[in-house]
Amino acid sequence: MAWVAAWSDALDALELDVDAADERLRTAHLASVEEVALASAWHPPVGLGPLPASLEVRARAVLGRQLETAHRLSQTIVVSRRQLAATRALSLRDTESAVYFDDEA
């Protein structure tokens, strides 16, 4: 039973990570340096052995959520890069030229 409990704990931790990533995407939260460092320091649990058959459905659900979140994250990155490119393009305009012309004067 310790083997199943260890796997269950590992899946709990993965679900919490997906919840946190979903929340950041939902709120457009910019992760702090500490949060990024913590996430990048993650290592998979060791010594779990094969996944218990009783947890297969749950593990597949967690994987599905991870893949959905990763997909949404990649879409958000693309949108952000496009917005950054548009902002940069606007900031490179010649500020000395007239933007509007008043022909009534």
Side-chain angles (χ1 to χ4, degrees):
M1 266 324 188
W3 167 56
V4 174
W7 263 103
S8 185
D9 290 345
L11 292 173
D12 288 345
L14 287 173
E15 285 178 322
L16 290 174
D17 289 343
V18 175
D19 289 344
D22 285 343
E23 182 65 13
R24 283 189 199 99
L25 284 170
R26 189 182 66 74
T27 63
H29 169 69
L30 181 62
S32 70
V33 172
E34 294 81 14
E35 289 172 319
V36 171
L38 183 63
S40 65
W42 183 86
H43 296 286
V46 294
L48 290 178
L51 178 71
S54 62
L55 294 177
E56 181 183 355
V57 171
R58 181 176 174 206
R60 287 184 187 278
V62 171
L63 175 61
R65 285 192 58 213
Q66 286 177 316
L67 294 173
E68 287 173 23
T69 299
H71 179 71
R72 287 192 2 252
L73 180 59
S74 66
Q75 289 176 324
T76 301
I77 290 169
V78 168
V79 169
S80 294
R81 286 184 178 164
R82 287 180 182 157
Q83 289 173 342
L84 180 60
T87 301
R88 284 183 177 155
L90 290 174
S91 68
L92 295 177
R93 281 194 353 219
D94 181 14
T95 57
E96 297 297 319
S97 63
V99 176
Y100 299 102
F101 176 75
D102 184 4
D103 64 350
E104 298 278 329

